[in-house]
Amino acid sequence: MIKIARIDGDGIGKEVTEAGVAVLESLDLNIDFVEAEAGRECFDKNGTTIPEETIRIARNAKATLFGAITSTPGEKSPIITLRQELDTYANLRPIKSFKGVDCLFDDLDFLIVRENTEGLYSGKERLEEDKAIAHRVITRKASERISRLAFQEAIKLNKESVTCVHKSNVLKKTDGVFKDSFYNVAKDYPQIKTIDYYVDATAMYLLTKPQEFDVIVTSNLFGDILSDASAGLVGGLGLAPSGNIGDKHGLFEPVHGSAPDIAGNNISNPIAMILSVSMMLEYLNEDYLASKVKTACENVLEKGKVLTPDLGGNAKTMDVANEVIKEIEKLD
């Protein structure tokens, strides 16, 4: 029995999680889904955006599937809290062009590896009279750990280079530690080409020559911004999966938010969630099934007959999920 924590969240998080679960249930796996609460609706009901019970359920699961949440002003972020509590220190965000999808570049296939536990997302902020102060915490331990994982991913994916993204010309101490840690780890991987760019230069290169990138490793805030921007290169957030990986836990989620403006219409694109399911299957060492789910998504997109409105179609969320399931069955 594979115990999976299921956190639907708010808005379209519920819709895409239902789609992802439907795909998982179509596979020959013995899965026990344990539902847990988080998000704005959870706060309205329980007075907290993420109960301790939800954290406990995630800790005791083999992996966690997370939908999307609506932020609650003044309250802690459920997804950041989970990442920190589970020590899922690496956020993996693949950026890939799909045949059949109208996008800026049709030949992209790179990975952004984002440090997930510190930086400006550490939550260390305070108010002092008329000013607000945020502490940007960058440690050598976390920087070396995320850099090493980036090199390991490059080897796993048969990539030639790893690019370190920072701003050490301005953030001399914090990004100085990040950059130095990267090059210290790089010594153990002489077969991999190493590059480093300032984050602003990287933003420009993503628009002008994104084909140059194989694996990008960067800090928390920079990784968040660059990965969302990169999703725009290949068709939008509806196609952008992610996995939060640690030494003991895995947390998988689509990159998009809860989209309250379209919630309830059942027109949200479930492909990002289903691709996140594929990443989760790989994490669970179900490589064959992970590959089938990914290939099925690619086939549905390439055929272009069953697509949600964001991709120019008129299909409902579960229509796409069911089409993916049909493609999986054809691959048997």
Side-chain angles (χ1 to χ4, degrees):
M1 179 75 71
I2 303 173
K3 185 178 289 186
I4 302 295
R6 171 181 172 174
I7 306 173
D8 293 26
D10 304 308
I12 68 169
K14 300 176 183 296
E15 300 166 16
V16 298
T17 303
E18 180 184 1
V21 167
V23 171
L24 275 169
E25 288 181 336
S26 75
L27 305 174
D28 188 20
L29 286 172
N30 189 13
I31 295 179
D32 176 25
F33 290 101
V34 183
E35 296 190 26
E37 296 180 290
R40 183 61 178 268
E41 290 184 22
C42 176
F43 177 80
D44 293 340
K45 176 182 175 183
N46 303 306
T48 177
T49 54
I50 180 163
E52 284 297 321
E53 176 66 4
T54 295
I55 297 172
R56 185 193 68 79
I57 288 172
R59 280 198 182 120
N60 291 332
K62 285 282 189 181
T64 298
L65 197 62
F66 190 97
I69 58 97
T70 301
S71 63
T72 305
E75 299 296 323
K76 58 186 177 182
S77 163
I79 189 63
I80 292 177
T81 300
L82 273 176
R83 290 168 181 165
Q84 293 174 341
E85 290 288 340
L86 301 178
D87 195 27
T88 52
Y89 59 88
N91 185 257
L92 306 183
R93 296 196 175 185
I95 306 298
K96 180 176 173 58
S97 305
F98 295 101
K99 293 179 180 178
V101 176
D102 184 19
C103 55
L104 293 175
F105 297 91
D106 60 6
D107 57 349
L108 299 186
D109 187 4
F110 63 90
L111 177 69
I112 296 179
V113 179
R114 164 190 171 193
E115 204 292 317
N116 224 11
T117 62
E118 53 182 31
L120 278 172
Y121 284 19
S122 301
K124 300 180 185 300
E125 293 185 289
R126 70 178 189 274
L127 290 171
E128 289 186 1
E129 298 179 354
D130 62 344
K131 61 184 177 182
I133 300 172
H135 291 268
R136 185 175 193 258
V137 179
I138 301 289
T139 65
R140 193 169 300 279
K141 176 183 176 181
S143 300
E144 290 189 353
R145 181 169 66 170
I146 197 67
S147 295
R148 190 167 301 281
L149 187 141
F151 281 100
Q152 291 169 351
E153 286 294 318
I155 293 171
K156 175 182 171 183
L157 298 171
N158 293 316
K159 298 295 186 181
E160 296 180 354
S161 67
V162 178
T163 302
C164 173
V165 175
H166 58 90
K167 191 63 177 172
S168 64
N169 59 327
V170 176
L171 302 169
K172 299 181 185 296
K173 301 296 185 182
T174 50
D175 268 7
V177 166
F178 193 86
K179 179 183 174 183
D180 289 348
S181 298
F182 167 78
Y183 279 111
N184 185 51
V185 170
K187 296 174 185 176
D188 295 334
Y189 301 91
Q191 73 274 37
I192 303 294
K193 180 182 177 182
T194 55
I195 316 163
D196 72 273
Y197 291 138
Y198 296 141
V199 64
D200 44 350
T202 304
M204 180 185 69
Y205 296 148
L206 284 171
L207 293 175
T208 57
K209 52 178 183 179
Q211 299 88 348
E212 175 181 315
F213 296 107
D214 284 332
V215 175
I216 292 173
V217 62
T218 189
S219 55
N220 210 334
L221 177 61
F222 293 166
D224 191 7
I225 294 169
L226 292 177
S227 57
D228 278 18
S230 297
L233 302 175
V234 294
L237 294 177
L239 302 174
S242 77
N244 304 276
I245 307 296
D247 294 333
K248 296 181 179 180
H249 298 282
L251 168 63
F252 300 87
E253 52 167 332
V255 172
H256 61 70
S258 63
D261 56 324
I262 63 169
N265 294 323
N266 295 306
I267 58 171
S268 53
N269 189 346
I271 293 294
M273 172 57 89
I274 298 172
L275 289 172
S276 298
V277 164
S278 175
M279 295 179 73
M280 185 176 76
L281 288 167
E282 186 176 345
Y283 171 78
L284 294 170
N285 296 316
E286 297 286 351
D287 292 356
Y288 174 67
L289 292 176
S291 178
K292 284 179 68 174
V293 170
K294 183 179 178 181
T295 300
C297 287
E298 292 173 349
N299 291 348
V300 169
L301 292 171
E302 184 174 2
K303 290 179 179 178
K305 295 179 180 179
V306 184
L307 302 176
T308 44
D310 60 308
L311 296 180
N314 55 14
K316 298 293 187 180
T317 304
M318 285 306 300
D319 293 338
V320 176
N322 289 331
E323 194 68 14
V324 170
I325 292 169
K326 290 178 184 177
E327 288 294 328
I328 292 172
E329 293 171 349
K330 292 177 184 177
L331 295 170
D332 285 337

